[in-house]
Structure formats: structure tokens, C-alpha cells
Amino acid sequence: MKLFKKLTLAAVTSLVAVTTLVGSASAASGISGKITINGSTALLPLTLQAAKEFQKINPKVRISASGKGSVTGPQAVKKGIADIGACDWDASMDVPGFKAFEGQVANKVAVIPFATVTNKNVKVNNLTTEQLKGIFSGKITNWKEVGGDNADIVVITRAFGSGTRVNYQAKALAGGDIVKKAKNYKEVGSSGDMKTAVATTPNAIGYIDLVYVNSDIKALSYNGVQPTTDNVINGSYKIWAYGYYMTKGQPTGATKAFIEYVQSAKFQQGSLKKLKFIPISAMR
């Protein structure tokens, strides 16, 4: 009889555990719908990875994501052609060059470190704020002026509307100008294009979010501080920004569930960190 009672108790415990698991699975699979995401190319690697993981848990949800620059995110939400606008600034507020998108809610999802990058042939490893301001304004035109070889500097920048450009100009250049020049100047439309242009253009300099940096290009120190996630967290490296998912009003349904997944400790401490983004909790 005692053995029967023990077995019965074990069976009940197992049943409760199985029921809980089934209930959780049902709840997850009960989420359905389509989510369209547009905007920041800096956030695109994070978005694509999160979409892959979220759809595996919620097979009835379909997520379509693309990147054309931060400003296109809230613009697409405003036009009703995207549920989420990925943006490298809080587009519900005015920022230099852009008015607030009224009625949109900024959902903070990541900390994005940015880096000054050069072609690997450049023999400079550190630049100061003033040196960068001189280079991007067109006042410094030769690498020898900042300790490098006697070679013309090729400036590569992002097109107007890029969140990476907004943040780099505000923080690395302390609000300094980025001037177009007919010679040795190139403008690109995405983070991927920036990486390719810098990697394939001798004597080039540009800027990009840390997730795109690899052995094809060289990331420079800024005022003597290396661009690392640890240095962002400890406050010594200043070129970073929060990344946001903009929505029309408070998110609901599958959109709300997806944003909450990206904000969850599981994703923030897992895939997000592996991609060289920084959890939002690290900056609190």
C-alpha cells in the first residue's frame, strides 16, 4: 500500500510537470501573426537572430525584417507598412536633424557600441576627438597629419538618415561637421556597405557598429580607449547609443511578445552579448 501511495504521488507529480510543460508550449504556439520590421542596419543582426529564435518557439508567427537606415524605421511605422521601426535613437523625441515621430513608443532593446574603422593598410591605431573632427570636416586630408603614412585620407560616411551617423557625429565628433568633398569622399547606405567599402579601399576611414567589426577592417582607439563592450560598460568609451524598436502606440499581440523576448534576460544575456551588443541592464 505504501509503495502504491509513493507511485501514485510520483505519477501525480509527473502529470503536473507534463501538464505545465504542455500548457507552456500551448501558450507559446498560441501566438500567431505576422511582424514586419524595418529600419536600422546596425540593429539588423540582432533582429534577425531574435526572429530566428522567436519563430522557433512560436511557429505560427512570421517575421520579415529589413534594414535601410534608422530613419526608415519610424517612417515605415508612421505609414503603416511596418509594425516595428528599428532605430538607433529614440524617435519619439527630437534629435538634431529629425523631428519626433508623434504617437510612437520607443521600446529600448539594446546598447550599441560604435567604432571608428580604417582599412588595414592604415598605420594609425588611435585618434582623438579633434583629429576625427578635422578628418571628417575635411581640414585634415593626409594620414601623415595624424601620425600615419604620407597618403590621402579617403573618408567614407553613411547617408543622411543613418542612426549610426547621428550617433557618431554627436559623440565621436562632438557635433562636428561631416562635409562632402568631390575628392576622396564616399557615402554608403548601410552598415554592411560601410564594412565592404572600408575593407576594399586603401587609406579609408569610416565608422560602424561593433557587431560588424572583424579581421577585414581595423577598429581604432578613441582618445586612447579601445572600442570594447567592457569599456562601454565601465564608462571609459563614449561612442555608443541605445537601440530602439519603435511602435505605433504600445505594442500588442505578436509584436509585443517579440519585443518582450528581445528584452528578456535569456536573449539579452545570450545571443545579444555574443553579437557584441550590450544588455540594456548593464547600463543601469
Side-chain angles (χ1 to χ4, degrees):
M1 178 65 74
K2 289 182 179 179
L3 178 60
F4 176 76
K5 287 183 178 179
K6 288 181 180 179
L7 290 171
T8 302
L9 180 60
V12 170
T13 302
S14 298
L15 180 61
V16 171
V18 170
T19 302
T20 302
L21 289 170
V22 171
S24 299
S26 298
S29 62
I31 300 172
S32 62
K34 182 179 179 182
I35 305 170
T36 301
I37 306 170
N38 201 345
S40 166
T41 58
L43 283 171
L44 189 57
L46 178 152
T47 299
L48 292 174
Q49 179 61 33
K52 180 180 176 181
E53 295 177 18
F54 186 79
Q55 288 175 127
K56 187 174 181 179
I57 301 169
N58 302 280
K60 294 181 181 179
V61 177
R62 292 289 175 266
I63 301 175
S64 173
S66 61
K68 294 183 180 179
S70 280
V71 75
T72 64
Q75 284 176 342
V77 171
K78 181 179 179 180
K79 293 175 183 176
I81 58 177
D83 305 290
I84 294 174
C87 193
D88 300 348
W89 71 83
D90 181 349
S92 68
M93 303 172 63
D94 291 345
V95 298
F98 300 96
K99 292 290 186 181
F101 285 80
E102 294 183 6
Q104 294 194 24
V105 173
N107 303 275
K108 192 181 292 182
V109 293
V111 175
I112 313 171
F114 301 101
T116 304
V117 292
T118 65
N119 184 274
K120 291 196 297 184
N121 83 312
V122 174
K123 296 177 182 177
V124 170
N125 297 311
N126 174 74
L127 289 170
T128 66
T129 303
E130 290 306 309
Q131 287 172 329
L132 286 173
K133 287 172 72 175
I135 289 170
F136 281 92
S137 67
K139 294 177 182 177
I140 295 175
T141 60
N142 194 296
W143 281 112
K144 69 180 180 180
E145 298 177 67
V146 291
D149 291 339
N150 182 11
D152 289 340
I153 298 172
V154 180
V155 174
I156 301 176
T157 189
R158 290 287 304 277
F160 186 72
S162 157
T164 301
R165 174 172 170 154
V166 167
N167 285 291
Y168 190 82
Q169 192 166 358
K171 296 165 186 179
L173 307 182
D177 293 331
I178 297 178
V179 177
K180 286 189 176 183
K181 299 180 293 180
K183 182 182 178 183
N184 295 332
Y185 175 93
K186 184 176 182 180
E187 190 173 278
V188 295
S190 71
S191 297
D193 291 342
M194 173 67 79
K195 177 183 172 183
T196 299
V198 172
T200 58
T201 308
N203 304 310
I205 186 171
Y207 49 88
I208 203 168
D209 50 308
L210 203 56
V211 65
Y212 285 91
V213 175
N214 63 12
S215 59
D216 294 335
I217 53 179
K218 182 167 69 172
L220 305 189
S221 293
Y222 176 66
N223 294 325
V225 182
Q226 293 183 333
T228 66
T229 54
D230 286 344
N231 285 340
V232 171
I233 294 170
N234 68 33
S236 61
Y237 186 77
K238 307 296 185 182
I239 313 174
W240 63 273
Y242 285 111
Y244 298 88
Y245 280 168
M246 305 303 301
T247 57
K248 189 174 182 179
Q250 292 295 338
T252 59
T255 299
K256 180 175 184 289
F258 176 68
I259 292 174
E260 288 177 345
Y261 179 77
V262 175
Q263 294 171 331
S264 71
K266 176 185 177 182
F267 185 77
Q268 293 274 313
Q269 297 298 328
S271 297
L272 180 141
K273 288 179 71 173
K274 291 178 182 177
L275 288 169
K276 300 182 196 174
F277 291 95
I278 299 172
I280 52 180
S281 61
M283 307 307 291
R284 291 174 182 171

